[in-house]
Amino acid sequence: MVLDIGYGSGSWLMEMNKEFPDAKYIGVDISGTIPEDRASSITYEFGDIVKGLKYPDASFDFINMRHLVYGLSIDEWYIALKEIRRLLKPKGCAQLTEIQHIPRNPENRSDYDNAIFDYITEMGQDPMITYNLSKYTHSS
């Protein structure tokens, strides 16, 4: 069983379903919007990883979560990762994919980069999430 957290357009689920058509997929998203193009092996549901998901412990073999860099505060990352750990079966795999917009070295940042960095920080989010994700993972 595969869980996609924050499925958005559902494109990742559809691509996975093409590659592995025998698997069962569940996508959760806070939008609750269900993509028009969907396969029968994919279930789309409303869900908020921070508030906890309804599934029993150790329900999923594979969990995907991506592009939530601007969707979760620093505190929420710890909550989300703890919930992923709860939902994942022993020997299961979680795939976390984030993008890094801002150069790590402050000397390489433009004024625009600095403005984005400051704004994201003020919002309680981590503009360096790709570099800090392992810290959150080990602390949750």
Side-chain angles (χ1 to χ4, degrees):
M1 182 86 80
V2 176
L3 176 65
D4 186 21
I5 299 167
Y7 62 76
S9 69
S11 62
W12 184 88
L13 287 165
M14 293 300 292
E15 288 175 29
M16 291 301 292
N17 187 60
K18 286 178 187 171
E19 283 290 318
F20 307 99
D22 296 332
K24 290 280 207 184
Y25 301 92
I26 296 176
V28 295
D29 197 288
I30 60 171
S31 73
T33 303
I34 298 177
E36 288 182 28
D37 184 21
R38 56 186 186 267
S40 61
S41 60
I42 303 172
T43 302
Y44 295 97
E45 299 179 351
F46 174 83
D48 185 340
I49 187 69
V50 175
K51 292 181 179 171
L53 299 177
K54 66 182 183 179
Y55 313 107
D57 295 357
S59 293
F60 296 95
D61 301 292
F62 189 88
I63 298 176
N64 179 61
M65 186 171 83
R66 66 181 185 161
H67 301 169
L68 291 179
V69 60
Y70 303 126
L72 298 175
S73 70
I74 292 170
D75 292 339
E76 290 171 335
W77 273 102
Y78 290 105
I79 295 166
L81 292 168
K82 185 176 180 180
E83 181 69 351
I84 288 170
R85 188 168 284 142
R86 180 187 73 79
L87 294 169
L88 202 57
K89 288 181 178 180
K91 303 204 187 243
C93 181
Q95 173 178 274
L96 308 173
T97 308
E98 293 301 328
I99 51 177
Q100 185 66 44
H101 293 282
I102 302 167
R104 187 175 197 173
N105 184 344
E107 294 176 14
N108 294 334
R109 293 184 199 147
S110 67
D111 290 342
Y112 176 78
D113 292 331
N114 286 325
I116 295 294
F117 183 95
D118 292 344
Y119 176 76
I120 293 168
T121 302
E122 287 172 18
M123 297 297 292
Q125 297 166 326
D126 185 351
M128 296 286 130
I129 189 66
T130 57
Y131 300 110
N132 294 330
L133 202 51
S134 64
K135 174 180 78 172
Y136 299 140
T137 303
H138 296 301
S139 298
S140 64

